[in-house]
Amino acid sequence: MNPTDGLYKLIDARRVNAAPSESEIHKSDQHTLLIAFQGNGEVEADGYRSEFDSCDVVLLLPDTPWRISVKENPSLEYYSFTFDAYAVDGQGTLQRGELEAAIFPPAHWSEASEKAGLICSCWQGSQWDHMESAIRFQELLLQLWRPAQSGTKDKNAASGAINQSKAYIDSNFAQPLTREKLAGLTGMSVAHYSRLFKKYVGRSPMEYLNSIRIRHAGDLLLRSELTLRDTANRVGYQDEFYFSRKFKSVTGISPSVYIKKQRTSTQIASMAHPYTSHLLALGLTPYAALVNNSRGSGHGLHNIISLGHDQPDLDRLADARPELIISFEPSDYAEPDKAFLFPHIAPTCTVPFEGEWREHFRIIARAVNRLDIAQQWLAAYEELAERLRVNVREKLADENVAVAQYEQGRFRLFGNRNLGTVLYNDLQLARPRQLLNVAHSALLTADQLSEYSIDHLILFTSGNTAQRNMIHHSLASQEAWKELRAVQQGNVYELGDSSLYSCYTSLAHELFLRRSSELLMSDMSRR
């Protein structure tokens, strides 16, 4: 049914607050209109997923299963409308029908949430308010569907639809996608969609899909031990031989030659401080890297090309002409768009920062053909940790240990990651109960810190002597600090600058493993 042929009856209107823990699947025999109001998340419809952010609009046809997911706080708030569509048939009878096309992936409409909010507010009132809501809902649909009145608006609408489709392919490349499916999601005919996609992207939808699949396949081939068949399946190909032909047509070489060539690269660019440290532990100095002494990544690096401090400089990276790039996932950078361009500069091994540092280490070692060296290094690390663990636990027994960084009058107390993982996982020391569920760290005042049962505190202050003395003087004057058990028992072990120890990586953890054990085994502390 064409939208202009219909009459629409609003069935329900509500404002929904979706928490990260929710993943309920919804399905209605009516049409569903979703409008994001605040926050961000993902919407999944009929098995396909897309980002769902403020002012995004989704229209789903009857009997389409869908759900909203939120990755992290804050929660996602959105408006949900269900409605029926009616049209007059050939006999002049009003019949319930179905619209000819959904709106998915989401379309962005800046005025949508404001209009939707007014409709929902009225819907909660009297019968007259219900009537007003129904009228406003008709107006909302009219403005959603009405064709743009100028050529500029038409062009912007077309460009936006193609950008949405391109983003959809980026997120769902491993799914069985066809031109017909992609065109249907935009509400266009296959021919019109294909022409517009080629116009705005520079290649056909299927060419673009294949390029995305091959790019991800190259990444998988470098950082995993998947078979060719499994790699093909992971990126959307069911036939490994077809995949191999496509891979060679895009890259110019077969998958096996690609693996051999990239894993013997000598000009490696590291776009993440922790991964630079892993390379050094493997006996490799990167050809180019982000360099920042405050993060510990500048130590041990000489005569390399600097690619920036914390965020990548694309011009420098392109000029360096690396053979292989090792990076975080794009979402781990402050400017994700830059990271999406890495594969256009050189083959890229993407290592998600979410995982455990040992797995990061193995992935990178595999990508540079040094997995045996990595396994030897890790075995030596575990042997060292076990030896130190026995000695330290014998001395401390069940006494609680904590490590903190002093930051502008407050204490960053580390939990299960970075410095904390050395104390609580490698040395298996006891911790204050409040840290059991702290993933990374908690920033506390001196009063809050005094509520923690800490028998031994390793404290990072500053690498500057004058600043360190000022911190000592400030802490000595605070009653809350004096009440801390570790202070009263003389078990505060001060270290200056944390940059050599705090990076979530192999060399930093080995260094902190040795230094923390040495401090805890000693009888020396400084309050």
PDB file of all heavy atoms in Angstrom, residues 416 431-439:
ATOM      1  N   ASN A 416      40.005  -4.492  38.530  1.00  0.00           N
ATOM      2  CA  ASN A 416      40.362  -5.759  37.902  1.00  0.00           C
ATOM      3  C   ASN A 416      41.201  -5.633  36.644  1.00  0.00           C
ATOM      4  O   ASN A 416      41.509  -6.642  36.017  1.00  0.00           O
ATOM      5  CB  ASN A 416      39.082  -6.541  37.562  1.00  0.00           C
ATOM      6  CG  ASN A 416      38.309  -6.916  38.814  1.00  0.00           C
ATOM      7  OD1 ASN A 416      38.885  -7.386  39.776  1.00  0.00           O
ATOM      8  ND2 ASN A 416      37.004  -6.691  38.798  1.00  0.00           N
ATOM      9  N   ARG A 431      41.934  -8.262  48.295  1.00  0.00           N
ATOM     10  CA  ARG A 431      41.600  -6.873  47.998  1.00  0.00           C
ATOM     11  C   ARG A 431      40.440  -6.418  48.867  1.00  0.00           C
ATOM     12  O   ARG A 431      39.674  -7.254  49.380  1.00  0.00           O
ATOM     13  CB  ARG A 431      41.235  -6.723  46.527  1.00  0.00           C
ATOM     14  CG  ARG A 431      39.857  -7.237  46.176  1.00  0.00           C
ATOM     15  CD  ARG A 431      39.602  -7.242  44.700  1.00  0.00           C
ATOM     16  NE  ARG A 431      40.056  -8.480  44.081  1.00  0.00           N
ATOM     17  CZ  ARG A 431      39.918  -8.761  42.793  1.00  0.00           C
ATOM     18  NH1 ARG A 431      39.353  -7.882  41.988  1.00  0.00           N
ATOM     19  NH2 ARG A 431      40.357  -9.891  42.307  1.00  0.00           N
ATOM     20  N   PRO A 432      40.242  -5.099  49.007  1.00  0.00           N
ATOM     21  CA  PRO A 432      39.056  -4.602  49.710  1.00  0.00           C
ATOM     22  C   PRO A 432      37.802  -5.061  48.975  1.00  0.00           C
ATOM     23  O   PRO A 432      37.772  -5.103  47.745  1.00  0.00           O
ATOM     24  CB  PRO A 432      39.214  -3.073  49.652  1.00  0.00           C
ATOM     25  CG  PRO A 432      40.670  -2.844  49.423  1.00  0.00           C
ATOM     26  CD  PRO A 432      41.144  -3.999  48.598  1.00  0.00           C
ATOM     27  N   ARG A 433      36.758  -5.407  49.729  1.00  0.00           N
ATOM     28  CA  ARG A 433      35.541  -5.946  49.119  1.00  0.00           C
ATOM     29  C   ARG A 433      34.927  -4.972  48.120  1.00  0.00           C
ATOM     30  O   ARG A 433      34.277  -5.375  47.162  1.00  0.00           O
ATOM     31  CB  ARG A 433      34.521  -6.294  50.196  1.00  0.00           C
ATOM     32  CG  ARG A 433      34.110  -5.123  51.069  1.00  0.00           C
ATOM     33  CD  ARG A 433      33.046  -5.495  52.081  1.00  0.00           C
ATOM     34  NE  ARG A 433      32.730  -4.382  52.960  1.00  0.00           N
ATOM     35  CZ  ARG A 433      31.977  -3.348  52.602  1.00  0.00           C
ATOM     36  NH1 ARG A 433      31.456  -3.308  51.385  1.00  0.00           N
ATOM     37  NH2 ARG A 433      31.721  -2.373  53.453  1.00  0.00           N
ATOM     38  N   GLN A 434      35.123  -3.646  48.342  1.00  0.00           N
ATOM     39  CA  GLN A 434      34.522  -2.653  47.436  1.00  0.00           C
ATOM     40  C   GLN A 434      35.115  -2.719  46.030  1.00  0.00           C
ATOM     41  O   GLN A 434      34.545  -2.173  45.083  1.00  0.00           O
ATOM     42  CB  GLN A 434      34.707  -1.230  47.987  1.00  0.00           C
ATOM     43  CG  GLN A 434      33.983  -0.956  49.302  1.00  0.00           C
ATOM     44  CD  GLN A 434      34.907  -1.161  50.497  1.00  0.00           C
ATOM     45  OE1 GLN A 434      35.806  -2.005  50.457  1.00  0.00           O
ATOM     46  NE2 GLN A 434      34.692  -0.384  51.560  1.00  0.00           N
ATOM     47  N   LEU A 435      36.268  -3.371  45.879  1.00  0.00           N
ATOM     48  CA  LEU A 435      36.917  -3.443  44.564  1.00  0.00           C
ATOM     49  C   LEU A 435      36.551  -4.704  43.786  1.00  0.00           C
ATOM     50  O   LEU A 435      36.973  -4.865  42.637  1.00  0.00           O
ATOM     51  CB  LEU A 435      38.440  -3.393  44.721  1.00  0.00           C
ATOM     52  CG  LEU A 435      39.053  -2.046  45.104  1.00  0.00           C
ATOM     53  CD1 LEU A 435      40.564  -2.172  45.241  1.00  0.00           C
ATOM     54  CD2 LEU A 435      38.714  -0.978  44.066  1.00  0.00           C
ATOM     55  N   LEU A 436      35.766  -5.579  44.383  1.00  0.00           N
ATOM     56  CA  LEU A 436      35.474  -6.856  43.731  1.00  0.00           C
ATOM     57  C   LEU A 436      34.822  -6.678  42.369  1.00  0.00           C
ATOM     58  O   LEU A 436      35.089  -7.429  41.429  1.00  0.00           O
ATOM     59  CB  LEU A 436      34.573  -7.707  44.635  1.00  0.00           C
ATOM     60  CG  LEU A 436      35.252  -8.284  45.881  1.00  0.00           C
ATOM     61  CD1 LEU A 436      34.233  -8.984  46.758  1.00  0.00           C
ATOM     62  CD2 LEU A 436      36.369  -9.246  45.487  1.00  0.00           C
ATOM     63  N   ASN A 437      33.939  -5.679  42.235  1.00  0.00           N
ATOM     64  CA  ASN A 437      33.206  -5.493  40.988  1.00  0.00           C
ATOM     65  C   ASN A 437      33.630  -4.241  40.229  1.00  0.00           C
ATOM     66  O   ASN A 437      32.916  -3.776  39.348  1.00  0.00           O
ATOM     67  CB  ASN A 437      31.697  -5.433  41.274  1.00  0.00           C
ATOM     68  CG  ASN A 437      31.176  -6.734  41.850  1.00  0.00           C
ATOM     69  OD1 ASN A 437      31.517  -7.807  41.371  1.00  0.00           O
ATOM     70  ND2 ASN A 437      30.359  -6.641  42.888  1.00  0.00           N
ATOM     71  N   VAL A 438      34.790  -3.695  40.566  1.00  0.00           N
ATOM     72  CA  VAL A 438      35.308  -2.525  39.847  1.00  0.00           C
ATOM     73  C   VAL A 438      36.111  -3.007  38.651  1.00  0.00           C
ATOM     74  O   VAL A 438      37.165  -3.635  38.811  1.00  0.00           O
ATOM     75  CB  VAL A 438      36.189  -1.641  40.768  1.00  0.00           C
ATOM     76  CG1 VAL A 438      36.824  -0.517  39.968  1.00  0.00           C
ATOM     77  CG2 VAL A 438      35.349  -1.078  41.917  1.00  0.00           C
ATOM     78  N   ALA A 439      35.605  -2.746  37.454  1.00  0.00           N
ATOM     79  CA  ALA A 439      36.249  -3.265  36.243  1.00  0.00           C
ATOM     80  C   ALA A 439      37.615  -2.628  36.011  1.00  0.00           C
ATOM     81  O   ALA A 439      38.609  -3.317  35.788  1.00  0.00           O
ATOM     82  CB  ALA A 439      35.347  -3.029  35.040  1.00  0.00           C
TER      83      ALA A 439
END
